[in-house]
Amino acid sequence: MVYRRTARCIVVIPTYNEAENIGQIVARVRAAQPDVDVLVVDDRSPDKTGRIVDEIAEQDPSVHALHRRCKDGLGAAYLDGFRWALDREYDVVVEMDADGSHQPEQLGRILDALTDADVVIGSRWVPGGSVTNWPRGREYLSRGSNLYIRLVLGLGLRDATAGFRAYRADALRAIGLAEVESHGYCFQTDLTRRAVRAGLRVVEVPIDFVERERGRSKMSADVMAESLVRVSGWAIADRSRQLRRAVTDATRRLRRR
């Protein structure tokens, strides 16, 4: 279903060495949702991904390129893309990978869900979601990581690490992008917990995740392990705040007696 809108929407796609994929994914987004703009945020890819995007943008005014000076992490690229979009007064900002794992043809279901939400996550692990061409070990790792995140952070979501999602502009402002320090794989989890803590309505819709066919994935077990260490630190900090608050409240009650 094509997204019919009055709001201005842009899809932010971070890239590093995605010359084999970027032309096709941009074309698919534009075909699936002609009213939606595209911003490619390239980290100075040595394979000339940025040059390909510039050539596309010359032919299509709805496609834009943001060239960063160096490779500085997924989160940093998204933050720059978010700021670019907010400065230009877009109403909805979408995250999407460049490798084809996120299906542009399913973007409509994410955008439609914004009718009753501030943030919509395209989830692999809710009923109706799926993954294709993943080895069993990677699926177990992703499911296990999300279970751990759900338990220790109390988010109530099944796919906090998902990277196919949409934000209302006001939601991004409420999250406080200037305070986000996560630049790696845990960036998605960080924004999810910030959205929940800010009292925003976050919903999940099922998507079909398809592993890339061309190029090399940037994901690794070390990257995920680093993310879980960060998540554990957030959980400890949250528990410490809760304990301090409980002690303060108890002290105040005693003083009133």
Side-chain angles (χ1 to χ4, degrees), residues 77-97:
Y78 267 129
L79 289 173
D80 280 351
F82 291 166
R83 295 186 189 101
W84 189 98
L86 293 175
D87 286 346
R88 287 155 182 81
E89 299 184 346
Y90 281 91
D91 303 298
V92 174
V93 184
V94 175
E95 295 184 21
M96 179 183 290
D97 287 350

Side-chain angles (χ1 to χ4, degrees), residues 12 14-15 41 43 66 68 72-82 183:
V12 178
T15 55
V41 183
D43 278 359
L66 176 60
R68 286 162 36 87
D72 190 28
L74 178 70
Y78 267 129
L79 289 173
D80 280 351
F82 291 166
H183 288 180

Side-chain angles (χ1 to χ4, degrees), residues 234-247:
W234 292 332
I236 293 170
D238 287 346
R239 299 299 181 274
S240 297
R241 281 193 295 270
Q242 292 169 3
L243 179 59
R244 288 195 299 270
R245 189 179 304 118
V247 170

Side-chain angles (χ1 to χ4, degrees), residues 40-215:
V40 177
V41 183
D42 185 63
D43 278 359
R44 203 171 185 177
S45 300
D47 72 348
K48 309 302 182 185
T49 299
R51 181 179 299 175
I52 294 172
V53 178
D54 285 337
E55 293 171 356
I56 297 172
E58 288 178 3
Q59 302 299 318
D60 186 347
S62 294
V63 177
H64 310 275
L66 176 60
H67 300 281
R68 286 162 36 87
R69 287 180 292 182
C70 63
K71 190 173 186 295
D72 190 28
L74 178 70
Y78 267 129
L79 289 173
D80 280 351
F82 291 166
R83 295 186 189 101
W84 189 98
L86 293 175
D87 286 346
R88 287 155 182 81
E89 299 184 346
Y90 281 91
D91 303 298
V92 174
V93 184
V94 175
E95 295 184 21
M96 179 183 290
D97 287 350
D99 59 12
S101 57
H102 300 147
Q103 308 301 295
E105 296 76 18
Q106 296 182 346
L107 175 56
R109 68 179 65 171
I110 293 177
L111 296 175
D112 287 344
L114 277 175
T115 302
D116 300 309
D118 301 300
V119 182
V120 179
I121 296 175
S123 175
R124 299 158 290 186
W125 309 129
V126 295
S130 68
V131 296
T132 300
N133 297 331
W134 261 19
R136 188 67 66 182
R138 184 170 177 186
E139 178 176 343
Y140 288 155
L141 185 60
S142 179
R143 286 183 180 273
S145 298
N146 275 286
L147 175 60
Y148 178 73
I149 289 167
R150 185 162 71 251
L151 292 175
V152 302
L153 296 182
L155 298 180
L157 299 165
R158 300 184 68 87
D159 201 354
T161 64
F164 193 12
R165 53 177 68 189
Y167 297 88
R168 292 185 179 275
D170 287 343
L172 287 177
R173 296 186 182 100
I175 286 170
L177 298 180
E179 300 172 2
V180 177
E181 298 179 352
S182 306
H183 288 180
Y185 180 72
C186 59
F187 172 79
Q188 308 294 4
T189 304
D190 193 3
L191 259 64
T192 303
R193 76 182 185 97
R194 288 174 182 273
V196 171
R197 286 173 56 186
L200 301 176
R201 177 167 168 73
V202 183
V203 302
E204 294 179 280
V205 298
I207 63 162
D208 304 310
F209 182 97
V210 180
E211 178 66 354
R212 68 161 67 229
E213 295 181 356
R214 296 181 298 275

